[in-house]
Amino acid sequence: MRAQWLILLLPLVGCDLSMTRQDRHDAQGDATLWKGGPAVSSVAPDGSIAQDQPARDVALDEPPPVTVALLERGQDRYGIFCTACHGEDGGGEGRVVQRGFPRPPAFGSQDHSRRTVDVITHGSGVMYPFADRIEPSDRWAIAAYVEALKRLRAGEPTGKGA
């Protein structure tokens, strides 16, 4: 009877040894998953573009008309992506600045919507690019909202009720 149980358990012991001694792949480790296997590459080949890139480029070419809905969307996106550094009013006194991060310049009259969109897209100074985080339409919405903030800071009429 014991011999029968030993014969039944013998294959399980063999499986356990092969399972506990497997090679593993570390995220920052070797460039192949197995010896002689395909290389792991996270870099796209030269000349490749995302499927939606042409549409995204077109969306950045022309600003949409400024509407209340666009400004509301811009205010929402500004609150999510920009207030941490630029502050609620665009003066550059956001939460991270109060904790020691370099203060961004306050929004000024020399800036315009196209420049704001370019800075959101490509970054400027210590501000990193947001092109992979913010859609082109939302960049225009933020730029329109920033224009409204600049007018409020300067005491100019914003167009509502004026």
Side-chain angles (χ1 to χ4, degrees):
M1 181 83 169
R2 286 187 185 179
Q4 291 173 345
W5 283 108
L6 288 175
I7 291 172
L8 289 174
L9 291 176
L10 189 60
L12 294 177
V13 173
C15 289
D16 187 50
L17 290 177
S18 65
M19 296 299 283
T20 58
R21 294 186 183 168
Q22 288 184 357
D23 292 332
R24 66 180 210 172
H25 177 72
D26 292 326
Q28 303 298 324
D30 196 9
T32 59
L33 289 172
W34 60 86
K35 290 184 179 183
V40 177
S41 176
S42 61
V43 178
D46 288 339
S48 63
I49 61 169
Q51 289 180 343
D52 64 343
Q53 191 60 45
R56 293 170 67 86
D57 291 342
V58 168
L60 282 175
D61 285 342
E62 285 297 318
V66 178
T67 63
V68 172
L70 183 78
L71 289 171
E72 287 173 349
R73 178 68 178 182
Q75 182 179 19
D76 178 61
R77 300 288 97 180
Y78 179 88
I80 292 169
F81 293 105
C82 309
T83 56
C85 295
H86 292 280
E88 294 287 331
D89 66 349
E93 293 295 332
R95 292 180 310 272
V96 296
V97 173
Q98 295 167 4
R99 290 171 175 79
F101 196 76
R103 184 180 189 273
F107 299 134
S109 59
Q110 76 279 4
D111 297 328
H112 50 83
S113 332
R114 167 62 68 187
R115 170 147 167 62
T116 303
V117 169
D118 288 341
V119 169
I120 294 170
T121 303
H122 303 291
S124 177
V126 296
M127 178 178 158
Y128 56 83
F130 279 86
D132 62 336
R133 296 167 183 86
I134 303 175
E135 292 296 319
S137 59
D138 286 342
R139 292 179 227 165
W140 282 114
I142 291 170
Y145 182 70
V146 166
E147 288 297 313
L149 280 179
K150 289 189 313 189
R151 289 181 179 188
L152 284 173
R153 288 176 56 79
E156 298 176 21
T158 59
K160 290 184 179 180

